[in-house]
């Protein structure tokens, strides 16, 4: 049974992924915070290419037990899955990993349950051991393949194709892109940069063609394209951006036609007075970009104001173009692409000595204990 601590309102966060953790770290001193999560770790959806090709580096930075975050010490973590939200009673029914069901009350609810968009992000309840096994199996599958086809030219597809080819130049890597260039939604200069980087690395790109039969369970073999061409590989990776919002547990009136949470610029959920949403599940803009643009500070600010009886007054403004790192740290450093097409390169040393340990772990996450 999850006990509420006295005298403080309860904030219940559903999903302790990239955004749920950040929100919890900022609220835990002011509220009684409970985080419900299908995973006992912050298992990030970031840097898929590095996850498949440099697993030990990736695990150090992107697979962190929630118990290691210093600012989550006061947060009650419930390892399980939210199954039903009752917005009238302000309760959430959770089925825990041990199979028991519990009802958790809240004063404020934060929906941060993300989306599935491929094998690497799911809402399955998993133990740490199951997560580790799955990560190793995925990396091993790529390592042992001599040819890989990546379907989809968004950031995940580009990251996967380029990292695999750079890790093992002898592998045949093919990237299927339905548009003329990779990375739709990014600045044209960023798109041109990766088109050239893919070619230089030796990734074969097939542009303006589509796989005719999409079956994400097909993990190897031959694919036919609309032009009639075929492509075969020992491993197929689907990065086609087919997102499914993790919202089965929410009442329909909170969801838009695509089952994402109807979210106002204040990150409050439409038609409610005490529910917020953030991250990939929140329909803030067509790109659903609030996981990536410091929106957690807006949510935290607005939630604190609501708790003081004041209206939310900060608004999330999505950038016009997508920005950020696309392929993660490489031999020549980490390239960060701005929304205006400009880029900044940080050296590998700066990334490993300053960016990840100091800026990310110490400042953004407010302290992470060593593994
Ligand atoms: C620099 C950078 C690089 C990126 N690289 C990639 C990339 O390579 N590939 C990619 O796909 N994305 C990438 N992204 C996107 C990023 O992974 C997502 O935007 C981010 O993970 C979304 O965070 P979130 O908190 O909304 O969801 P998530 O981090 O997915 O967290 C949601 C959590 O909620 C849990 N959950 C789901 N349903 C329930 C439930 N009913 N009850 C309880 N818990 C539940 C989930 O299991 C998960 O743990 C990148 C982003 C950045 C900033």
């Amino acid at each position: 049974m999850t006990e509420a601590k006295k005298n403080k309102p309860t904030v219940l966060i559903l999903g302790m992924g990239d955004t749920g953790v950040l929100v919890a770290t900022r609220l835990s001193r002011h509220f009684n915070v409970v985080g419900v999560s299908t995973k006992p770790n912050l298992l990030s959806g970031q840097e898929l290419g590095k996850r498949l090709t440099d697993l030990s580096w990736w695990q150090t930075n992107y697979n962190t037990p929630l118990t290691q975050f210093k600012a989550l010490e006061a947060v009650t973590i419930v390892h399980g899955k939210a199954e039903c939200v009752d917005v009238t009673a302000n309760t959430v029914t959770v089925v825990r990993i041990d199979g028991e069901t519990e009802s958790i009350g809240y004063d404020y609810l934060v929906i941060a349950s993300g989306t599935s968009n491929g094998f690497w992000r799911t809402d399955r309840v998993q133990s740490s051991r199951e997560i580790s096994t799955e990560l190793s199996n995925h990396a091993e599958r790529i390592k042992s393949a001599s040819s890989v086809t990546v379907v989809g030219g968004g950031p995940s597809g580009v990251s996967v194709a380029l990292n695999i080819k750079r890790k093992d130049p002898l592998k045949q890597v093919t990237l299927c892109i339905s548009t003329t260039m990779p990375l739709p939604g990014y600045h044209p200069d960023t798109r041109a940069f990766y088109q050239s980087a893919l070619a230089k690395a030796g990734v074969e790109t097939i542009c303006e063609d589509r796989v005719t039969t999409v079956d994400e369970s097909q993990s190897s073999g031959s694919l036919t394209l609309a032009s009639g061409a075929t492509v075969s590989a020992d491993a197929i990776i689907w990065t086609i951006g087919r997102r499914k919002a993790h919202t089965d547990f929410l009442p329909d009136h909170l969801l838009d036609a695509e089952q994402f949470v109807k979210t106002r610029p204040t990150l409050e959920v439409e038609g409610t007075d005490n529910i917020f949403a953030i991250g990939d599940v929140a329909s803030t803009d067509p790109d659903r970009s609030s996981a990536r643009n410091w929106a957690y500070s807006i949510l935290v600010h607005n939630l604190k104001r609501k708790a003081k009886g004041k209206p939310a007054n900060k608004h999330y403004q999505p950038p016009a173009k997508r920005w950020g790192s696309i392929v993660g740290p490489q031999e020549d450093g980490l390239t960060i692409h701005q929304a205006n097409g400009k880029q900044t390169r940080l050296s590998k040393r700066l990334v490993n000595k300053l960016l990840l340990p100091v800026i990310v772990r110490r400042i953004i996450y407010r302290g992470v204990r060593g593994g």
Side-chain angles (χ1 to χ4, degrees):
M1 181 72 187
T2 305
E3 298 281 343
K5 287 166 212 145
K6 292 194 179 77
N7 304 328
K8 288 181 178 177
T10 294
V11 177
L12 178 54
I13 302 175
L14 301 183
M16 293 293 275
D18 283 325
T19 56
V21 166
L22 285 169
V23 168
T25 58
R26 284 359 189 228
L27 291 177
S28 59
R29 281 200 301 139
H30 311 273
F31 297 89
N32 170 43
V33 178
V34 180
V36 176
S37 190
T38 51
K39 327 277 181 205
N41 300 359
L42 169 49
L43 180 68
S44 175
Q46 297 183 34
E47 310 297 9
L48 180 60
K50 299 289 287 182
R51 170 170 165 167
L52 293 175
T53 58
D54 192 356
L55 184 56
S56 73
W57 176 87
W58 190 88
Q59 296 238 59
T60 305
N61 298 295
Y62 294 101
N63 179 23
T64 311
L66 295 172
T67 49
Q68 282 180 213
F69 291 90
K70 293 182 184 172
L72 296 186
E73 252 162 32
V75 173
T76 305
I77 303 290
V78 179
H79 186 183
K81 189 170 179 180
E83 295 288 352
C84 180
V85 174
D86 183 336
V87 294
T88 312
N90 290 341
T91 57
V92 176
T93 306
V94 175
V95 176
R96 297 193 314 235
I97 189 161
D98 61 11
E100 295 293 317
T101 299
E102 81 170 286
S103 173
I104 305 175
Y106 62 84
D107 297 291
Y108 298 93
L109 183 67
V110 177
I111 303 163
S113 47
T115 61
S116 302
N117 61 342
F119 64 87
W120 64 98
R121 290 177 67 204
T122 74
D123 60 356
R124 264 181 294 129
V125 179
Q126 286 180 302
S127 66
S128 283
R129 185 186 288 257
E130 285 165 335
I131 291 170
S132 289
T133 306
E134 196 173 83
L135 287 169
S136 304
N137 289 346
H138 289 150
E140 193 48 47
R141 181 168 86 93
I142 301 309
K143 195 174 168 196
S144 60
S146 56
S147 54
V148 180
T149 297
V150 184
V151 186
S156 299
V158 169
S159 165
V160 167
L162 204 51
N163 275 291
I164 293 176
K165 188 68 182 173
R166 283 180 174 164
K167 174 85 176 189
D168 183 354
L170 294 178
K171 273 196 212 312
Q172 166 69 36
V173 180
T174 306
L175 176 64
C176 301
I177 306 172
S178 58
T179 49
T180 49
M181 275 182 148
L183 299 170
Y186 283 83
H187 191 278
D189 291 353
T190 307
R191 301 182 74 180
F193 178 89
Y194 281 101
Q195 194 170 39
S196 149
L198 289 161
K200 200 167 156 209
V203 174
E204 187 196 344
T205 47
I206 299 177
C207 298
E208 289 188 277
D209 211 346
R210 281 180 174 276
V211 172
T212 46
T213 310
V214 172
D215 172 8
E216 290 185 59
S217 67
Q218 183 181 352
S219 58
S220 62
S222 187
L223 296 172
T224 304
L225 303 169
S227 63
T230 56
V231 52
S232 295
D234 300 336
I236 299 174
I237 302 177
W238 299 89
T239 54
I240 51 179
R242 221 180 232 183
R243 288 178 182 274
K244 183 192 171 298
H246 298 151
T247 52
D248 292 349
F249 54 89
L250 288 170
D252 282 347
H253 71 274
L254 302 186
L255 306 178
D256 67 14
E258 292 175 275
Q259 304 299 297
F260 286 79
V261 181
K262 289 190 266 185
T263 310
R264 294 198 287 256
T266 53
L267 302 177
E268 294 166 285
V269 174
E270 274 181 30
T272 73
D273 197 39
N274 61 345
I275 307 183
F276 290 77
I278 187 165
D280 291 0
V281 79
S283 189
T284 44
D285 57 292
D287 210 21
R288 302 180 191 108
S289 62
S290 67
R292 276 160 271 153
N293 297 296
W294 316 107
Y296 67 89
S297 63
I298 293 170
L299 190 155
V300 166
H301 170 91
N302 285 340
L303 196 153
K304 283 184 185 166
R305 275 182 64 91
K306 298 278 294 210
K308 287 181 187 152
K310 298 176 186 169
N313 66 351
K314 276 200 180 169
H315 288 201
Y316 174 64
Q317 284 181 322
K321 294 270 182 213
R322 297 185 71 172
W323 67 278
S325 142
I326 290 164
V327 296
Q330 303 290 301
E331 280 309 310
D332 60 355
L334 176 72
T335 306
I336 297 170
H337 300 269
Q338 309 298 338
N340 63 10
K342 295 210 166 70
Q343 49 178 272
T344 311
R345 173 123 7 126
L346 308 179
S347 71
K348 216 172 156 184
R349 190 179 151 76
L350 202 64
V351 171
N352 287 326
K353 299 278 180 216
L354 181 71
L355 179 69
L356 290 170
V358 179
I359 297 180
V360 175
R361 288 200 280 276
R362 201 179 300 164
I363 298 176
I364 297 183
Y365 286 118
R366 302 205 159 158
V368 183
R369 284 190 208 84

